[in-house]
Amino acid sequence: MTSDPADLTAADHLDAAREMAAANRPLLAHLLAEEAARRTTDPAIAAGIRATFPAPAPSREETD
């Protein structure tokens, strides 16, 4: 792995998204997948990535 985040590829971000999904961290998985999709040049592949890692529904409830 590289020490410079700018050197990370779409594949690196997608791998990390899969790891976060497996760790039950859907928001982090979604954010990493969004970055992977952003770095992908093919719009169809980017759409597939976004469909695989949709934004989780907000489930947090505020209480007093």
Side-chain angles (χ1 to χ4, degrees), residues 16-61:
R18 288 185 186 113
E19 289 178 21
M20 290 299 104
N24 198 27
R25 304 294 303 263
L27 181 58
L28 289 175
H30 168 71
L31 294 173
L32 288 160
E34 275 297 316
E35 184 61 21
R38 190 182 70 76
R39 292 173 184 242
T40 301
T41 57
D42 185 333
I45 292 174
I49 291 170
R50 288 185 175 105
T52 303
F53 297 95
S59 60
R60 181 176 170 177
E61 294 181 18

Side-chain angles (χ1 to χ4, degrees), residues 1-24:
M1 182 87 106
T2 180
S3 62
D4 185 359
D7 291 338
L8 295 173
T9 66
D12 293 328
H13 284 87
L14 196 51
D15 288 343
R18 288 185 186 113
E19 289 178 21
M20 290 299 104
N24 198 27

